[in-house]
Amino acid sequence: MKKLIVCIVVILISSVAAFAGDQHEEERVSDAGVVLKEILNIPDDIPQDLIDKAECIVVLPSVKKGAFGIGGSYGRGVMICRGGPHYKGKWGSPALYALEGVSIGFQLGGQATDFVLLVMNPKGAQSLLYSKVKLGADASAAAGPKGRTAEGATDIVMNAEILSYSRNKGLFAGVSLEGSTLRSDGSANQKLYGRKLSAKEIIREGKVGIPACAHELVSLLDSKSPVNKSDPKSLE
């Protein structure tokens, strides 16, 4: 029975991954800019003080999820970080990332959900830059609070390395992605930039310029949050 479940899950995720793979890399980047702009314009959306303290942001447009009895999800998007040795500079070039997850439970039909993840400290950023990360295990994750500020957020939320939000059918909320994995999408990065590059080389080492498809995303963040307001000691 366990082998059957594993086979079904593999087929499910492979099918959804193939669907997502049909989308060109440039479209994924530009879609991320559109999604983030729309979400930041939602009343009582992501608190501004959290955006100002984020070292990196992951945007995953239209994560696909669908199953009969067993749920699987697969999404592709981008991670973008502030530049400079201690994440104090302007927002830089994005790297393409993939989200993969499996959930057991009763689910019927399919849905597409937009996700935004705030990476709240250098440790969380480093984890995502160097390896495949299981949220909640390799990096602490929590559903992000909503509102104009993060006042009243729990210690669990405020100490999390990654805060996650979702938008589905017009509904916006903090959502837990524990158990899902997030990894750099190496083949997609190679297609986007024309050569093989690691996420670290793109994001931290600045080996490529900002592609045209990312101009809206980068300019939005430069305008929305030009300065990193994290405690300076936390960035050293």
Side-chain angles (χ1 to χ4, degrees), residues 25-26 96 186-197 202 208 211:
E25 284 68 28
E26 291 84 358
L96 293 166
S187 60
N189 284 318
Q190 184 172 356
K191 291 177 182 178
L192 178 63
Y193 290 107
R195 57 193 175 104
K196 189 174 182 179
L197 293 161
I202 296 169
V208 289

Side-chain angles (χ1 to χ4, degrees), residues 77-197:
V78 305
M79 183 166 88
I80 181 170
C81 299
R82 301 179 194 269
H86 300 293
Y87 299 92
K88 296 179 181 179
K90 290 186 175 182
W91 296 90
S93 300
L96 293 166
Y97 270 70
L99 176 78
E100 298 158 343
V102 173
S103 61
I104 305 298
F106 181 75
Q107 297 176 10
L108 183 63
Q111 61 181 358
T113 304
D114 301 319
F115 289 103
V116 173
L117 284 63
L118 304 185
V119 185
M120 301 306 298
N121 55 46
K123 181 181 177 182
Q126 290 295 99
S127 297
L128 291 173
L129 288 172
Y130 285 100
S131 62
K132 182 177 181 179
V133 170
K134 186 172 184 178
L135 301 179
D138 303 321
S140 60
K146 298 193 304 176
R148 296 182 182 275
T149 71
E151 291 181 3
T154 65
D155 289 341
I156 293 176
V157 168
M158 298 311 295
N159 292 326
E161 293 171 7
I162 297 173
L163 298 176
S164 50
Y165 296 86
S166 71
R167 181 184 67 167
N168 176 250
K169 295 181 180 179
L171 299 176
F172 175 75
V175 63
S176 175
L177 288 176
E178 286 195 15
S180 300
T181 58
L182 193 61
R183 62 171 175 81
S184 173
D185 194 342
S187 60
N189 284 318
Q190 184 172 356
K191 291 177 182 178
L192 178 63
Y193 290 107
R195 57 193 175 104
K196 189 174 182 179
L197 293 161

